[in-house]
Amino acid sequence: MLKLIKQRLVWGLVLTATVSGVLSCNVAAHATSSKADEVKAAYVMDAKSGQVVYAQNADQKLPIASLSKLMTLYLVERAIEHGQIKWTDAVPIRKNVRKMATSATLSVMPMPAKETFTVRELFAATLVGSSNSGAIALGEYVAGSNDKFIKLMNQQASKWHLDASFISASGLDNTCLLYTS
């Protein structure tokens, strides 16, 4: 699975970085947008010829949330392979991440204070449900802090020679963590 995640992540980042460059987002603007479900940009290329079939706002800088989550999941699997963490570990979740999880705009996974979550549960929530709070909790667990995890993400991108700049484990900018305090 690790190899498949890496392959998809590399191709997705190469395409995104080529189209969008270094990316960031503004959570407050995104959260209040009434057009949040509309497609903001699209880029379709024929895999064999490399010819662009369709492009909409191809040069617009946009957040790489799903690709950030794939990088997070890749680094979680790597930490498991290296024995740093286990699938069954209970992940400590900071109060502001739990609070962020109550926002329908920022998270799909409620995290009540009474509940605990394993690495496997948060991994599944991040992979299947694109859980922002799950990704952040996993990143903090792997590296000890959000900032340290972002550094790991960017170091990995650099090792793969990708022109990408990660700003969080979830792909949202870190104001989402401030928003909840």
Side-chain angles (χ1 to χ4, degrees), residues 115-165:
E115 289 190 44
T116 60
F117 301 93
T118 64
V119 169
R120 184 180 312 279
E121 291 168 328
L122 293 174
F123 190 96
T126 302
L127 180 64
V128 177
S130 195
S131 173
N132 292 311
S133 52
I136 293 168
L138 285 169
E140 290 176 347
Y141 187 59
V142 167
S145 76
N146 190 44
D147 290 341
K148 288 178 183 176
F149 191 72
I150 294 165
K151 286 179 185 172
L152 283 177
M153 294 173 80
N154 286 314
Q155 287 171 352
Q156 186 62 55
S158 180
K159 285 179 187 176
W160 289 338
H161 306 287
L162 299 177
D163 183 17
S165 178

CSV table of all heavy atoms in Angstrom, one decimal, residues 115-165:
chain,number,residue,atom,x,y,z
A,115,GLU,N,-14.0,10.2,23.6
A,115,GLU,CA,-13.6,9.1,22.7
A,115,GLU,C,-12.1,9.2,22.4
A,115,GLU,O,-11.5,10.2,22.3
A,115,GLU,CB,-14.3,9.2,21.4
A,115,GLU,CG,-15.8,8.8,21.5
A,115,GLU,CD,-16.5,8.7,20.2
A,115,GLU,OE1,-15.9,8.1,19.3
A,115,GLU,OE2,-17.6,9.2,20.1
A,116,THR,N,-11.5,8.0,22.2
A,116,THR,CA,-10.1,7.8,21.8
A,116,THR,C,-10.2,7.2,20.4
A,116,THR,O,-11.1,6.5,20.0
A,116,THR,CB,-9.3,6.9,22.7
A,116,THR,OG1,-9.9,5.6,22.7
A,116,THR,CG2,-9.3,7.5,24.1
A,117,PHE,N,-9.1,7.5,19.6
A,117,PHE,CA,-9.0,7.0,18.3
A,117,PHE,C,-7.6,6.3,18.1
A,117,PHE,O,-6.6,6.9,18.5
A,117,PHE,CB,-9.2,8.1,17.3
A,117,PHE,CG,-10.5,8.8,17.4
A,117,PHE,CD1,-10.7,9.9,18.2
A,117,PHE,CD2,-11.7,8.3,16.8
A,117,PHE,CE1,-11.9,10.5,18.4
A,117,PHE,CE2,-12.9,8.8,16.9
A,117,PHE,CZ,-13.0,10.0,17.7
A,118,THR,N,-7.6,5.3,17.3
A,118,THR,CA,-6.3,4.6,17.0
A,118,THR,C,-5.8,5.2,15.7
A,118,THR,O,-6.4,5.9,15.0
A,118,THR,CB,-6.5,3.1,16.8
A,118,THR,OG1,-7.3,2.9,15.6
A,118,THR,CG2,-7.1,2.4,18.0
A,119,VAL,N,-4.5,4.9,15.5
A,119,VAL,CA,-3.9,5.3,14.2
A,119,VAL,C,-4.7,4.7,13.1
A,119,VAL,O,-5.0,5.5,12.1
A,119,VAL,CB,-2.4,4.8,14.2
A,119,VAL,CG1,-1.8,4.9,12.8
A,119,VAL,CG2,-1.5,5.4,15.2
A,120,ARG,N,-5.1,3.5,13.1
A,120,ARG,CA,-5.9,2.9,12.0
A,120,ARG,C,-7.2,3.6,11.8
A,120,ARG,O,-7.6,3.9,10.6
A,120,ARG,CB,-6.2,1.4,12.4
A,120,ARG,CG,-6.9,0.7,11.2
A,120,ARG,CD,-7.2,-0.8,11.5
A,120,ARG,NE,-6.1,-1.5,12.1
A,120,ARG,CZ,-5.1,-2.1,11.3
A,120,ARG,NH1,-5.1,-1.9,10.0
A,120,ARG,NH2,-4.1,-2.8,11.9
A,121,GLU,N,-7.9,4.0,12.8
A,121,GLU,CA,-9.2,4.7,12.7
A,121,GLU,C,-9.0,6.1,12.0
A,121,GLU,O,-9.7,6.5,11.1
A,121,GLU,CB,-9.9,4.9,14.0
A,121,GLU,CG,-10.4,3.5,14.6
A,121,GLU,CD,-10.8,3.6,16.0
A,121,GLU,OE1,-10.3,4.4,16.8
A,121,GLU,OE2,-11.8,2.9,16.4
A,122,LEU,N,-7.9,6.8,12.5
A,122,LEU,CA,-7.7,8.1,11.9
A,122,LEU,C,-7.2,8.0,10.5
A,122,LEU,O,-7.5,8.9,9.7
A,122,LEU,CB,-6.7,8.9,12.8
A,122,LEU,CG,-7.2,9.3,14.2
A,122,LEU,CD1,-6.1,9.9,15.1
A,122,LEU,CD2,-8.4,10.2,14.1
A,123,PHE,N,-6.4,7.0,10.2
A,123,PHE,CA,-5.9,6.7,8.9
A,123,PHE,C,-7.1,6.6,7.9
A,123,PHE,O,-7.1,7.2,6.9
A,123,PHE,CB,-5.0,5.5,8.9
A,123,PHE,CG,-4.2,5.3,7.6
A,123,PHE,CD1,-2.9,5.8,7.5
A,123,PHE,CD2,-4.8,4.6,6.5
A,123,PHE,CE1,-2.2,5.5,6.3
A,123,PHE,CE2,-4.1,4.4,5.4
A,123,PHE,CZ,-2.8,4.9,5.3
A,124,ALA,N,-8.0,5.7,8.3
A,124,ALA,CA,-9.2,5.4,7.5
A,124,ALA,C,-10.0,6.7,7.3
A,124,ALA,O,-10.5,7.0,6.2
A,124,ALA,CB,-10.0,4.3,8.1
A,125,ALA,N,-10.2,7.4,8.4
A,125,ALA,CA,-11.0,8.7,8.3
A,125,ALA,C,-10.3,9.7,7.4
A,125,ALA,O,-11.0,10.4,6.6
A,125,ALA,CB,-11.2,9.3,9.7
A,126,THR,N,-9.0,9.7,7.4
A,126,THR,CA,-8.3,10.6,6.5
A,126,THR,C,-8.3,10.2,5.1
A,126,THR,O,-8.6,10.9,4.1
A,126,THR,CB,-6.8,10.8,7.0
A,126,THR,OG1,-6.9,11.3,8.3
A,126,THR,CG2,-6.1,11.8,6.1
A,127,LEU,N,-8.1,8.9,4.9
A,127,LEU,CA,-8.1,8.3,3.5
A,127,LEU,C,-9.5,8.3,2.9
A,127,LEU,O,-9.6,8.7,1.7
A,127,LEU,CB,-7.5,6.9,3.6
A,127,LEU,CG,-7.4,6.1,2.2
A,127,LEU,CD1,-6.4,6.8,1.3
A,127,LEU,CD2,-7.0,4.7,2.4
A,128,VAL,N,-10.5,7.8,3.6
A,128,VAL,CA,-11.8,7.6,3.0
A,128,VAL,C,-12.6,8.9,3.1
A,128,VAL,O,-13.3,9.3,2.1
A,128,VAL,CB,-12.5,6.4,3.6
A,128,VAL,CG1,-13.9,6.3,3.1
A,128,VAL,CG2,-11.7,5.1,3.4
A,129,GLY,N,-12.6,9.5,4.3
A,129,GLY,CA,-13.5,10.7,4.5
A,129,GLY,C,-12.8,12.0,4.3
A,129,GLY,O,-13.4,13.1,4.5
A,130,SER,N,-11.5,12.0,4.0
A,130,SER,CA,-10.7,13.2,3.8
A,130,SER,C,-10.8,14.1,5.1
A,130,SER,O,-10.9,15.3,5.0
A,130,SER,CB,-11.2,14.0,2.6
A,130,SER,OG,-10.2,15.0,2.2
A,131,SER,N,-10.7,13.4,6.2
A,131,SER,CA,-10.8,14.1,7.5
A,131,SER,C,-9.6,15.0,7.8
A,131,SER,O,-8.4,14.6,7.9
A,131,SER,CB,-10.9,13.1,8.7
A,131,SER,OG,-10.8,13.8,9.9
A,132,ASN,N,-9.8,16.3,7.9
A,132,ASN,CA,-8.8,17.3,8.2
A,132,ASN,C,-8.2,17.1,9.6
A,132,ASN,O,-7.0,17.1,9.8
A,132,ASN,CB,-9.3,18.7,8.0
A,132,ASN,CG,-9.6,19.1,6.5
A,132,ASN,OD1,-8.7,18.8,5.7
A,132,ASN,ND2,-10.7,19.6,6.3
A,133,SER,N,-9.1,17.0,10.5
A,133,SER,CA,-8.7,16.8,11.9
A,133,SER,C,-8.0,15.5,12.1
A,133,SER,O,-7.0,15.4,12.9
A,133,SER,CB,-9.9,16.9,12.9
A,133,SER,OG,-11.0,16.1,12.5
A,134,GLY,N,-8.4,14.4,11.4
A,134,GLY,CA,-7.7,13.2,11.5
A,134,GLY,C,-6.3,13.3,11.0
A,134,GLY,O,-5.3,12.8,11.6
A,135,ALA,N,-6.1,14.0,9.9
A,135,ALA,CA,-4.8,14.2,9.3
A,135,ALA,C,-3.9,15.0,10.2
A,135,ALA,O,-2.7,14.6,10.4
A,135,ALA,CB,-4.9,14.9,7.9
A,136,ILE,N,-4.4,16.0,10.8
A,136,ILE,CA,-3.6,16.8,11.7
A,136,ILE,C,-3.2,16.0,13.0
A,136,ILE,O,-2.1,16.1,13.4
A,136,ILE,CB,-4.4,18.1,12.1
A,136,ILE,CG1,-4.5,19.0,10.9
A,136,ILE,CG2,-3.7,18.9,13.2
A,136,ILE,CD1,-5.4,20.2,11.0
A,137,ALA,N,-4.2,15.3,13.5
A,137,ALA,CA,-3.9,14.5,14.7
A,137,ALA,C,-2.8,13.4,14.4
A,137,ALA,O,-1.9,13.2,15.2
A,137,ALA,CB,-5.1,13.8,15.2
A,138,LEU,N,-2.9,12.8,13.2
A,138,LEU,CA,-1.8,11.8,12.8
A,138,LEU,C,-0.5,12.5,12.7
A,138,LEU,O,0.5,12.0,13.1
A,138,LEU,CB,-2.2,11.1,11.5
A,138,LEU,CG,-3.3,10.1,11.6
A,138,LEU,CD1,-3.8,9.6,10.2
A,138,LEU,CD2,-2.8,8.9,12.4
A,139,GLY,N,-0.5,13.6,12.0
A,139,GLY,CA,0.8,14.3,11.8
A,139,GLY,C,1.5,14.7,13.1
A,139,GLY,O,2.7,14.5,13.3
A,140,GLU,N,0.7,15.2,14.0
A,140,GLU,CA,1.2,15.6,15.3
A,140,GLU,C,1.7,14.4,16.1
A,140,GLU,O,2.7,14.4,16.8
A,140,GLU,CB,0.2,16.3,16.2
A,140,GLU,CG,-0.1,17.7,15.6
A,140,GLU,CD,-1.3,18.4,16.3
A,140,GLU,OE1,-2.0,17.8,17.1
A,140,GLU,OE2,-1.4,19.6,16.1
A,141,TYR,N,1.0,13.2,15.9
A,141,TYR,CA,1.4,12.0,16.6
A,141,TYR,C,2.8,11.5,16.0
A,141,TYR,O,3.7,11.1,16.8
A,141,TYR,CB,0.4,10.9,16.5
A,141,TYR,CG,0.6,9.7,17.3
A,141,TYR,CD1,0.8,9.8,18.7
A,141,TYR,CD2,0.7,8.5,16.7
A,141,TYR,CE1,1.1,8.7,19.4
A,141,TYR,CE2,1.0,7.3,17.4
A,141,TYR,CZ,1.2,7.4,18.8
A,141,TYR,OH,1.5,6.3,19.6
A,142,VAL,N,2.9,11.5,14.7
A,142,VAL,CA,4.1,11.0,14.1
A,142,VAL,C,5.3,11.9,14.5
A,142,VAL,O,6.4,11.4,14.8
A,142,VAL,CB,4.0,10.9,12.6
A,142,VAL,CG1,5.3,10.7,11.9
A,142,VAL,CG2,3.0,9.8,12.2
A,143,ALA,N,5.2,13.2,14.4
A,143,ALA,CA,6.3,14.1,14.6
A,143,ALA,C,6.4,14.8,15.9
A,143,ALA,O,7.5,15.4,16.2
A,143,ALA,CB,6.3,15.1,13.4
A,144,GLY,N,5.4,14.8,16.7
A,144,GLY,CA,5.4,15.5,18.0
A,144,GLY,C,4.8,16.8,17.9
A,144,GLY,O,4.4,17.4,19.0
A,145,SER,N,4.7,17.4,16.8
A,145,SER,CA,4.0,18.7,16.6
A,145,SER,C,3.7,19.0,15.2
A,145,SER,O,4.2,18.3,14.3
A,145,SER,CB,4.9,19.9,17.1
A,145,SER,OG,5.9,20.2,16.2
A,146,ASN,N,2.7,19.9,15.0
A,146,ASN,CA,2.3,20.2,13.6
A,146,ASN,C,3.5,20.8,12.8
A,146,ASN,O,3.7,20.4,11.7
A,146,ASN,CB,1.2,21.3,13.7
A,146,ASN,CG,0.5,21.5,12.4
A,146,ASN,OD1,0.2,20.6,11.6
A,146,ASN,ND2,0.2,22.8,12.1
A,147,ASP,N,4.2,21.7,13.4
A,147,ASP,CA,5.4,22.3,12.7
A,147,ASP,C,6.4,21.3,12.3
A,147,ASP,O,6.9,21.3,11.2
A,147,ASP,CB,6.0,23.4,13.6
A,147,ASP,CG,5.1,24.6,13.7
A,147,ASP,OD1,4.2,24.8,12.9
A,147,ASP,OD2,5.4,25.4,14.7
A,148,LYS,N,6.7,20.4,13.2
A,148,LYS,CA,7.7,19.3,12.9
A,148,LYS,C,7.2,18.4,11.8
A,148,LYS,O,8.0,18.0,10.9
A,148,LYS,CB,8.1,18.5,14.1
A,148,LYS,CG,8.9,19.3,15.1
A,148,LYS,CD,9.2,18.4,16.3
A,148,LYS,CE,9.9,19.2,17.4
A,148,LYS,NZ,10.1,18.4,18.6
A,149,PHE,N,5.9,18.1,11.7
A,149,PHE,CA,5.4,17.3,10.7
A,149,PHE,C,5.4,18.0,9.3
A,149,PHE,O,5.8,17.3,8.3
A,149,PHE,CB,4.0,16.8,11.0
A,149,PHE,CG,3.5,15.7,10.1
A,149,PHE,CD1,4.0,14.5,10.2
A,149,PHE,CD2,2.6,16.0,9.1
A,149,PHE,CE1,3.6,13.4,9.4
A,149,PHE,CE2,2.1,15.0,8.3
A,149,PHE,CZ,2.7,13.7,8.4
A,150,ILE,N,5.1,19.2,9.3
A,150,ILE,CA,5.2,20.0,8.1
A,150,ILE,C,6.6,20.0,7.5
A,150,ILE,O,6.8,19.8,6.3
A,150,ILE,CB,4.7,21.5,8.3
A,150,ILE,CG1,3.2,21.5,8.6
A,150,ILE,CG2,5.0,22.3,7.0
A,150,ILE,CD1,2.7,22.8,9.2
A,151,LYS,N,7.6,20.1,8.4
A,151,LYS,CA,9.0,20.0,7.9
A,151,LYS,C,9.3,18.6,7.3
A,151,LYS,O,9.9,18.5,6.3
A,151,LYS,CB,10.0,20.2,9.1
A,151,LYS,CG,10.0,21.7,9.5
A,151,LYS,CD,11.0,21.9,10.6
A,151,LYS,CE,10.9,23.4,11.0
A,151,LYS,NZ,11.6,23.7,12.3
A,152,LEU,N,8.7,17.5,8.0
A,152,LEU,CA,8.9,16.2,7.4
A,152,LEU,C,8.3,16.0,6.0
A,152,LEU,O,8.9,15.4,5.1
A,152,LEU,CB,8.3,15.1,8.3
A,152,LEU,CG,9.0,14.7,9.6
A,152,LEU,CD1,8.1,13.8,10.4
A,152,LEU,CD2,10.3,14.1,9.3
A,153,MET,N,7.1,16.6,5.9
A,153,MET,CA,6.4,16.6,4.6
A,153,MET,C,7.3,17.2,3.5
A,153,MET,O,7.4,16.7,2.4
A,153,MET,CB,5.1,17.3,4.7
A,153,MET,CG,4.1,16.6,5.6
A,153,MET,SD,2.6,17.5,5.8
A,153,MET,CE,1.7,17.1,4.3
A,154,ASN,N,7.8,18.4,3.8
A,154,ASN,CA,8.6,19.2,2.8
A,154,ASN,C,9.9,18.5,2.6
A,154,ASN,O,10.4,18.5,1.4
A,154,ASN,CB,8.7,20.6,3.3
A,154,ASN,CG,7.4,21.4,3.1
A,154,ASN,OD1,6.8,21.3,2.0
A,154,ASN,ND2,7.0,22.1,4.1
A,155,GLN,N,10.5,17.9,3.6
A,155,GLN,CA,11.7,17.1,3.4
A,155,GLN,C,11.5,15.9,2.4
A,155,GLN,O,12.3,15.7,1.5
A,155,GLN,CB,12.3,16.6,4.7
A,155,GLN,CG,12.9,17.7,5.6
A,155,GLN,CD,13.2,17.2,7.0
A,155,GLN,OE1,12.9,16.1,7.4
A,155,GLN,NE2,13.9,18.1,7.7
A,156,GLN,N,10.4,15.2,2.6
A,156,GLN,CA,10.0,14.1,1.7
A,156,GLN,C,9.8,14.6,0.3
A,156,GLN,O,10.3,14.0,-0.7
A,156,GLN,CB,8.8,13.4,2.2
A,156,GLN,CG,8.5,12.1,1.5
A,156,GLN,CD,9.7,11.1,1.6
A,156,GLN,OE1,10.1,10.7,2.6
A,156,GLN,NE2,10.2,10.7,0.4
A,157,ALA,N,9.1,15.7,0.1
A,157,ALA,CA,8.9,16.2,-1.2
A,157,ALA,C,10.2,16.6,-1.8
A,157,ALA,O,10.4,16.3,-3.0
A,157,ALA,CB,8.0,17.5,-1.1
A,158,SER,N,11.1,17.1,-1.1
A,158,SER,CA,12.4,17.5,-1.6
A,158,SER,C,13.2,16.2,-2.0
A,158,SER,O,13.9,16.2,-3.0
A,158,SER,CB,13.2,18.3,-0.5
A,158,SER,OG,14.5,18.6,-1.0
A,159,LYS,N,13.1,15.2,-1.2
A,159,LYS,CA,13.8,13.9,-1.6
A,159,LYS,C,13.3,13.4,-2.9
A,159,LYS,O,14.0,12.7,-3.6
A,159,LYS,CB,13.6,12.8,-0.5
A,159,LYS,CG,14.4,13.1,0.8
A,159,LYS,CD,14.1,12.0,1.8
A,159,LYS,CE,14.7,12.2,3.1
A,159,LYS,NZ,14.4,11.3,4.1
A,160,TRP,N,12.0,13.6,-3.2
A,160,TRP,CA,11.4,13.1,-4.4
A,160,TRP,C,11.6,14.2,-5.5
A,160,TRP,O,11.1,14.0,-6.6
A,160,TRP,CB,9.9,12.8,-4.2
A,160,TRP,CG,9.6,11.6,-3.4
A,160,TRP,CD1,10.4,10.6,-3.2
A,160,TRP,CD2,8.4,11.3,-2.7
A,160,TRP,NE1,9.8,9.6,-2.4
A,160,TRP,CE2,8.6,10.1,-2.1
A,160,TRP,CE3,7.2,12.0,-2.6
A,160,TRP,CZ2,7.5,9.5,-1.4
A,160,TRP,CZ3,6.2,11.4,-1.8
A,160,TRP,CH2,6.4,10.2,-1.2
A,161,HIS,N,12.3,15.3,-5.3
A,161,HIS,CA,12.6,16.3,-6.2
A,161,HIS,C,11.3,16.9,-6.8
A,161,HIS,O,11.1,17.2,-8.0
A,161,HIS,CB,13.4,15.8,-7.4
A,161,HIS,CG,14.7,15.2,-6.9
A,161,HIS,ND1,15.8,15.9,-6.4
A,161,HIS,CD2,15.1,13.9,-6.9
A,161,HIS,CE1,16.7,15.1,-6.1
A,161,HIS,NE2,16.4,13.9,-6.3
A,162,LEU,N,10.3,17.2,-5.8
A,162,LEU,CA,9.0,17.8,-6.2
A,162,LEU,C,9.1,19.2,-5.9
A,162,LEU,O,9.5,19.6,-4.8
A,162,LEU,CB,7.9,17.1,-5.4
A,162,LEU,CG,7.7,15.6,-5.7
A,162,LEU,CD1,6.6,15.1,-4.8
A,162,LEU,CD2,7.4,15.4,-7.1
A,163,ASP,N,8.5,20.0,-6.8
A,163,ASP,CA,8.4,21.5,-6.5
A,163,ASP,C,7.1,21.7,-5.9
A,163,ASP,O,6.1,22.1,-6.5
A,163,ASP,CB,8.5,22.2,-7.9
A,163,ASP,CG,8.5,23.7,-7.7
A,163,ASP,OD1,8.7,24.2,-6.5
A,163,ASP,OD2,8.2,24.4,-8.7
A,164,ALA,N,7.0,21.4,-4.6
A,164,ALA,CA,5.8,21.5,-3.8
A,164,ALA,C,6.1,22.0,-2.4
A,164,ALA,O,7.2,21.7,-1.9
A,164,ALA,CB,5.0,20.2,-3.7
A,165,SER,N,5.2,22.8,-1.9
A,165,SER,CA,5.4,23.3,-0.5
A,165,SER,C,4.2,23.0,0.3
A,165,SER,O,3.1,23.5,0.1
A,165,SER,CB,5.7,24.8,-0.5
A,165,SER,OG,5.8,25.3,0.8
